[in-house]
Amino acid sequence: MAVSNDPETKIDVQSEPAASTEARSGSGGISGILQRHRREDLIERGCLLLRGIALVFSLISFLLVATNDHGDWKDFDHYQEYRYLLGIAILSSLYSGIQCFRQAKELSSNKKLIQPNTAALVDFFGDQIVAYLLISSASAAIPITNRMREGADNIFTDTSTAAITMTFFAFFCLALSAIISGYKLSTQTYI
């Protein structure tokens, strides 16, 4: 801005460029990009944490069912509900382990192993399918465990109950991860 005391001199007033006001206000520019990057990083780390917790719960459930062999009728292998619970716990452990490995590798190297479009679809549908299978296997094992507990409350039924509980916790973590995956899928602009 140039000002002069001469009455015939014109005042030259220039406004501030729009880009710099956007950058300061946070609605665009560099600060907007940084905020978006931080939010995406937080979402990725949250999803990794949820899948890691689901992996731990699935492994505990798998180990509890697999070692629930106490002779005679107290053997998990005699009941199809527990075999189903074991199979889904193994599947959930594998899926969660692979996803955790992929996400940890991507976060540490800052390099995508799978194309973002494909990864968003795999994450969303994988989380959904495995979460539904987990709740299905827990729901299948609950009635037989309740019937057994009415007759005899022993280590076999207690271990079965603990495995069902761990399966439910794994379901809860993967269901939350599926919600996050759905959000990430909805933000994809080029699907």
Side-chain angles (χ1 to χ4, degrees), residues 86-99:
L86 177 68
I88 298 305
I90 292 170
L91 179 71
S92 174
S93 298
L94 288 173
Y95 171 76
S96 299
I98 290 169
Q99 286 287 61

Side-chain angles (χ1 to χ4, degrees), residues 17-74:
S20 64
T21 57
E22 284 180 1
R24 272 192 274 125
S25 68
S27 61
I30 294 173
S31 65
I33 292 170
L34 290 175
Q35 286 177 352
R36 180 176 179 199
H37 180 68
R38 278 188 229 124
R39 182 178 60 240
E40 288 173 357
D41 190 46
L42 181 65
I43 289 171
E44 286 296 321
R45 290 181 189 279
C47 206
L48 175 61
L49 178 69
L50 285 170
R51 287 191 181 125
I53 295 170
L55 172 63
V56 170
F57 285 138
S58 295
L59 284 174
I60 291 171
S61 177
F62 160 65
L63 292 174
L64 286 172
V65 174
T67 59
N68 200 7
D69 183 11
H70 302 285
D72 198 21
W73 65 271
K74 300 178 203 168

